[in-house]
Amino acid sequence: MTVDLAVIAAYLLGMVALGWWGMRRATSKSDYLVAGRRLGPLMYAGTMAAVVLGGASTVGGIGLGYTYGVSGAWLVVAIGVGILALHLFFAKRISRLRVFTVSEMLDLRYGGNSRVVSGLVMWGYTFMLTVPSTLAFSTIFSGLFELPRAVAVILGGSIVVLYSTMGGMWSVTMTDMAQFAIKTIGLVLILTPVAIWSAGGFSGMRESLDPSYFSPTAIGGETILTYFVIYSLGLLIGQDIWQRVFTGRDDRVARVGGIGAGVYCLVYGVCGALIGTAAAVLFPNLANPDDAFTLMVDATLPVGLAGLVIAAALSAVMSTASGALIACSTVTSTDLWPQVRRLFGRDGASHGGGDRDEVASNRVFTLVLGAATIGVALAVDDVVAALTLAYNVLVGGLLVAILGGLVWKRGTRAGALASMLTGSVAVIVTMALTGMLANEPIYVGLGTALVVYVAVSLLTPPTDPAVLAAWQSRLRGDDAPEGPGPHRPPWTPWTRPRPGTTDPHRPTAPIAAPTGRTDDEKDRNTR
């Protein structure tokens, strides 16, 4: 136990050290919120996989395998399919937008200001996603070290808040890469084969368990469909996921790295189900299936390796918690706080101080929201209900307006706002009538939002052609507000365009170079 504790302590200290390193890199708003949009394919794939594979995918996925056998993989498989669909069909356009939040995308597409509605829905989703991720610390720490639940939540949550606050997305990215490596080694390469071997191999498991454990549909067709509707569709539009898309150096990085992350998720889901199936052989009749993970680690792994696998589970929880926290902070600072300032008669934009003030204010938002998350996690117990509510409202409220804007030119701002409001209300009302964990709310919300979006869009004037033209220009990468776009090389604002170029964003005559280096030069030198 002492050796395992030392391994886990070293891991936690390493996360804080990476957070400190990230703080030195985060010198601008772009650095803090989207890692400067500089990630290559490997780092992009690692961070994308890390943020979507959290405690629910790891501890919960193993628990589903314990209960249903190999069909318990469907939850994580649905997550992997969502990541693949996002990067095959939408990531190219999303990456070229060069925005920070989903709500900014809606404003670009529809014109006007719809951030209050979409921002509130997205804020609720990201905050509620952070809470169950923080709660999962109690399952890991309490199960293995008999720590009180409150101590476990505060310990794990505080470390996540600390490194996320210090360096923002740079810290989250570096810790995610470490966590991705530890998860791969600890859970995929060590625990999975050891668990199968300890249960007597596949032949031994077949002899000991009911044949339903090896049926791919034992969990139920309706449950499988609901997983795809909630998680696959939810991952297409979540702020925590889009914010990782924004970190890619260009749309090619996003596409290649995202496909790699999606495939990894499929493998991870199968491994979790197999570990749970093996646990059903060794520890039948558990009262709580989620205990299968800690029991398997304790019973099958030697000292040291057990600590590494526990660190892997902590990695899964921390990566999701930090990703959701930084996403919630971004929505707060970019979409909601400017609206609050306007209510009090103050300009919604930040004043003075430039990048340093923006980074400092984002750190404050991250710290405050992180503390609030820990407080809420200490007060609630039902992790599944919190996660279900978050995804139901997100998908039922925002999916139609977001994807409609990407694929249907006739969609209007009035249609988008109406669909967001009616879809969210329909989900909440149906959940109140049928129960938090019922399958009906998501279908009612989606159906209502779709009908309202189409009807209101057709009954209202089309979107201003100038707004659509600006939107199409941004999708092509012509208008990149933060430096070079994905298809344009870096350039300095005092250079003459190359002969034959007609780029409207480049000056047509030389001008005196200012003193010091521009942000574009800094970005180029960093790359």
Side-chain angles (χ1 to χ4, degrees):
M1 183 63 73
T2 302
V3 174
D4 290 337
L5 283 173
V7 171
I8 295 168
Y11 162 74
L12 295 176
L13 289 174
M15 295 302 101
V16 175
L18 287 173
W20 178 264
W21 180 89
M23 183 173 67
R24 299 168 63 86
R25 294 290 302 266
T27 59
S28 69
K29 178 180 179 181
S30 179
D31 287 333
Y32 192 87
L33 298 183
V34 290
R37 307 187 195 273
R38 298 174 192 170
L39 301 191
L42 180 60
M43 291 190 71
Y44 183 97
T47 58
M48 181 62 73
V51 74
V52 297
L53 296 175
S57 303
T58 305
V59 177
I62 293 172
L64 288 173
Y66 179 89
T67 304
Y68 301 104
V70 296
S71 69
W74 281 113
L75 184 147
V76 184
V77 168
I79 290 173
V81 169
I83 293 297
L84 287 172
L86 172 69
H87 289 88
L88 286 171
F89 302 114
F90 301 108
K92 182 176 181 179
R93 282 175 280 182
I94 293 171
S95 176
R96 290 179 174 182
L97 291 176
R98 316 291 283 181
V99 295
F100 291 107
T101 68
V102 176
S103 298
E104 285 184 287
M105 167 264 167
L106 291 172
D107 283 357
L108 282 171
R109 166 59 182 83
Y110 295 110
N113 189 343
S114 58
R115 292 193 187 184
V116 174
V117 177
S118 58
L120 284 173
V121 174
M122 193 62 74
W123 186 92
Y125 158 73
T126 52
F127 188 82
M128 292 305 295
L129 185 62
T130 311
V131 170
S133 299
T134 305
L135 264 174
F137 290 118
S138 64
T139 302
I140 298 170
F141 282 129
S142 301
L144 290 167
F145 306 121
E146 298 181 356
L147 285 177
R149 174 180 178 275
V151 174
V153 170
I154 292 172
L155 175 62
S158 297
I159 293 172
V160 169
V161 172
L162 179 60
Y163 72 69
S164 299
T165 299
M166 285 194 294
M169 187 58 81
W170 267 122
S171 293
V172 171
T173 296
M174 297 311 299
T175 53
D176 276 357
M177 285 304 298
Q179 290 158 355
F180 173 74
I182 293 171
K183 279 192 293 191
T184 302
I185 296 170
L187 288 167
V188 177
L189 300 180
I190 294 178
L191 186 57
T192 300
V194 169
I196 295 171
W197 179 81
S198 300
F202 289 105
S203 60
M205 290 192 290
R206 285 186 177 276
E207 292 175 2
S208 302
L209 297 173
D210 187 88
S212 64
Y213 271 80
F214 302 93
S215 169
T217 58
I219 199 171
E222 185 179 358
T223 299
I224 295 171
L225 177 62
T226 301
Y227 282 158
F228 279 94
V229 171
I230 293 178
Y231 297 109
S232 297
L233 296 182
L235 288 171
L236 295 179
I237 59 172
Q239 170 66 28
D240 54 324
I241 309 303
W242 277 39
Q243 199 158 341
R244 299 309 173 99
V245 177
F246 300 150
T247 65
R249 189 166 56 232
D250 53 40
D251 54 86
R252 180 181 175 277
V253 166
R255 188 181 181 90
V256 173
I259 291 173
V263 172
Y264 180 85
C265 290
L266 302 181
V267 174
Y268 197 89
V270 173
C271 289
L274 290 175
I275 294 170
T277 304
V281 175
L282 300 176
F283 308 102
N285 304 318
L286 288 179
N288 183 3
D290 287 347
D291 291 338
F293 167 74
T294 54
L295 288 171
M296 287 298 290
V297 172
D298 189 51
T300 63
L301 296 180
V303 172
L305 280 182
L308 177 63
V309 174
I310 296 165
L314 287 173
S315 297
V317 175
M318 286 185 168
S319 59
T320 300
S322 59
L325 176 59
I326 201 71
C328 190
S329 173
T330 303
V331 172
T332 303
S333 63
T334 304
D335 297 331
L336 300 181
W337 182 242
Q339 311 302 322
V340 173
R341 291 177 61 91
R342 290 190 182 97
L343 286 177
F344 291 95
R346 307 176 74 178
D347 187 354
S350 59
H351 294 276
D355 284 340
R356 287 187 178 275
D357 278 0
E358 287 191 317
V359 172
S361 64
N362 275 285
R363 285 197 175 109
V364 171
F365 285 124
T366 305
L367 179 62
V368 171
L369 289 168
T373 297
I374 294 173
V376 173
L378 292 172
V380 301
D381 293 315
D382 198 337
V383 179
V384 177
L387 193 62
T388 302
L389 175 62
Y391 269 97
N392 279 352
V393 174
L394 172 72
V395 176
L398 296 185
L399 179 76
V400 171
I402 294 171
L403 296 190
L406 289 171
V407 302
W408 192 39
K409 292 183 179 181
R410 187 59 180 83
T412 66
R413 178 172 177 266
L417 287 172
S419 75
M420 286 189 281
L421 288 170
T422 56
S424 301
V425 171
V427 165
I428 294 171
V429 170
T430 310
M431 291 183 81
L433 295 175
T434 62
M436 291 286 288
L437 302 181
N439 292 329
E440 291 83 0
I442 186 64
Y443 298 108
V444 172
L446 273 175
T448 303
L450 179 60
V451 170
V452 170
Y453 178 72
V454 173
V456 175
S457 293
L458 292 176
L459 292 172
T460 52
T463 303
D464 186 341
V467 171
L468 284 178
W471 166 256
Q472 293 296 331
S473 175
R474 186 70 69 91
L475 287 179
R476 291 191 300 269
D478 296 338
D479 181 16
E482 293 178 60
H487 297 293
R488 289 188 287 134
W491 58 279
T492 54
W494 57 87
T495 56
R496 185 189 298 273
R498 283 182 246 170
T501 61
T502 57
D503 190 336
H505 298 281
R506 298 194 183 192
T508 56
I511 39 181
T515 59
R517 294 181 302 167
T518 67
D519 287 340
D520 282 338
E521 283 186 297
K522 294 176 184 177
D523 285 349
R524 181 177 59 196
N525 291 337
T526 302
R527 286 194 291 270

